[in-house]
Amino acid sequence: MNTSQDTIYAQACENISDFQFDEKVAGVFNDMIRRSVPGYGQIIKTLGDLADKYVTPDSRVYDLGCSLGAATLSIRRNIGSRNCTIVAVDNSESMIGRCQENLGAYVSDTPVDLICGDIRDINIENASMVVLNFTMQFLAPKDRESLLNNIYQGLKPGGILVLSEKLNFEDDSVQSLLDDLHLDFKRSNGYSELEISQKRSSLEHVMKPDTLHQHEVRLKEQGFKHFNVWFQCFNFASMVAIK
Ligand SMILES: Nc1ncnc2c1ncn2[C@@H]1O[C@H](C[S@+](CC[C@H]([NH3+])C(=O)[O-])CC(=O)[O-])[C@@H](O)[C@H]1O
Ligand SMILES: O=C(O)C(=O)Cc1ccccc1
């Protein structure tokens, strides 16, 4: 996978436009997400382990907001020959083009249906595993419930949703502590104060994190029987919900 360095916010800019998954971001995304999201590598690896445990023969796996295909690749590597199809969806053409190349670099028995489209328009069917790895936070909050309902309806009994998200916290002291630890993580990965603050502005209207409580309540309302956080580092968490 491409590892060009993310310098998108390195130069001072007068008008910071809203963050978009455009050609520029897609070209550096692998580096950007690894230097910005603590635990990303561990989460990608564990998605493969979870797939080995939950993906049943003749079912489908959905990777919603697949970006460059890291989650799909990890899952595909771990499920061997189960007569499954992975449906990988992203609405950024730049991401999908690169994702296609990344998937093509490995041979596998598991076909991937790569769709350039909106995850709100995808019908989920016969799914044993659905992955939303840091994608739902970019959807308008009003659209989150119906997306999760669509996922719940399309999951087989015993099927798993893995939902990774940046979190907000009700307690202001906890919010600023975990925010600060995340900022230190970005600094230690070589981002300057300018890069950090310009990216923060660009994400302000685009990425709307929920609290853990909001996630739990919404998932339980859909009918998910089991819920927990399986990973958290600072203000980034990955949750599992099982039907
Ligand atoms: N409505 C939408 N429909 C389709 N795609 C969307 C939509 N909104 C956003 N996206 C896509 O969701 C992805 C979010 S990145 C996911 C990382 C990946 N899961 C990974 O495991 O590497 C997370 C991040 O950058 O923090 C982008 O590729 C968007 O184009
Ligand atoms: O960079 C950040 O501050 C984030 O919150 C995570 C992120 C990672 C990659 C793209 C957009 C947001």
Side-chain angles (χ1 to χ4, degrees):
M1 204 167 293
N2 176 299
T3 50
S4 304
Q5 204 191 328
D6 168 24
T7 57
I8 290 178
Y9 295 101
Q11 302 302 322
C13 180
E14 275 187 25
N15 297 305
I16 307 284
S17 48
D18 281 351
F19 190 87
Q20 283 183 41
F21 293 96
D22 56 13
E23 190 59 28
K24 237 167 46 177
V25 167
V28 300
F29 187 73
N30 188 43
D31 178 67
M32 174 186 275
I33 195 151
R34 285 172 194 280
R35 288 165 65 210
S36 306
V37 176
Y40 176 78
Q42 178 66 49
I43 293 170
I44 290 296
K45 187 207 168 285
T46 305
L47 283 169
D49 299 334
L50 287 166
D52 185 29
K53 293 185 194 303
Y54 281 90
V55 175
T56 53
D58 310 312
S59 67
R60 292 185 183 179
V61 177
Y62 290 82
D63 179 8
L64 303 177
C66 60
S67 298
L68 302 178
T72 286
L73 282 168
S74 175
I75 291 165
R76 198 177 63 164
R77 207 173 336 112
N78 276 269
I79 60 177
S81 306
R82 297 186 198 187
N83 195 34
C84 290
T85 298
I86 303 177
V87 182
V89 186
D90 205 289
N91 64 356
S92 158
E93 278 178 30
S94 305
M95 289 291 192
I96 289 288
R98 287 175 166 80
C99 184
Q100 178 99 63
E101 282 176 25
N102 293 334
L103 297 176
Y106 302 89
V107 284
S108 165
D109 292 335
T110 306
V112 179
D113 222 346
L114 190 56
I115 298 173
C116 188
D118 196 302
I119 58 170
R120 291 167 292 194
D121 301 331
I122 299 294
N123 193 31
I124 311 286
E125 284 175 331
N126 191 32
S128 56
M129 180 172 188
V130 177
V131 174
L132 278 167
N133 202 35
F134 302 108
T135 301
M136 198 176 75
Q137 60 198 13
F138 291 103
L139 278 196
K142 66 168 175 50
D143 293 340
R144 296 176 188 179
E145 186 182 340
S146 65
L147 173 74
L148 294 178
N149 185 258
N150 180 23
I151 291 169
Y152 182 80
Q153 299 304 330
L155 270 172
K156 293 154 68 85
I160 190 169
L161 165 65
V162 186
L163 174 62
S164 310
E165 292 268 298
K166 189 173 192 175
L167 295 179
N168 265 352
F169 300 87
E170 279 146 32
D171 183 317
D172 292 345
S173 303
V174 172
Q175 178 72 50
S176 64
L177 169 62
L178 299 187
D179 240 353
D180 282 352
L181 289 170
H182 177 227
L183 292 184
D184 287 342
F185 172 84
K186 291 182 89 164
R187 289 181 187 112
S188 72
N189 284 327
Y191 283 120
S192 67
E193 299 307 316
L194 180 68
E195 285 177 291
I196 291 171
S197 82
Q198 294 194 130
K199 188 178 184 206
R200 177 166 277 220
S201 309
S202 83
L203 284 169
E204 202 178 325
H205 307 293
V206 177
M207 192 175 73
K208 304 270 186 201
D210 289 317
T211 64
L212 186 57
H213 182 69
Q214 287 172 310
H215 285 297
E216 178 164 11
V217 168
R218 195 166 42 211
L219 288 163
K220 294 252 171 88
E221 276 171 3
Q222 303 318 308
F224 282 99
K225 275 205 196 103
H226 311 280
F227 168 86
N228 221 322
V229 173
W230 70 266
F231 177 90
Q232 185 172 344
C233 186
F234 314 140
N235 44 355
F236 290 82
S238 186
M239 300 158 264
V240 287
I242 299 162
K243 184 167 176 174

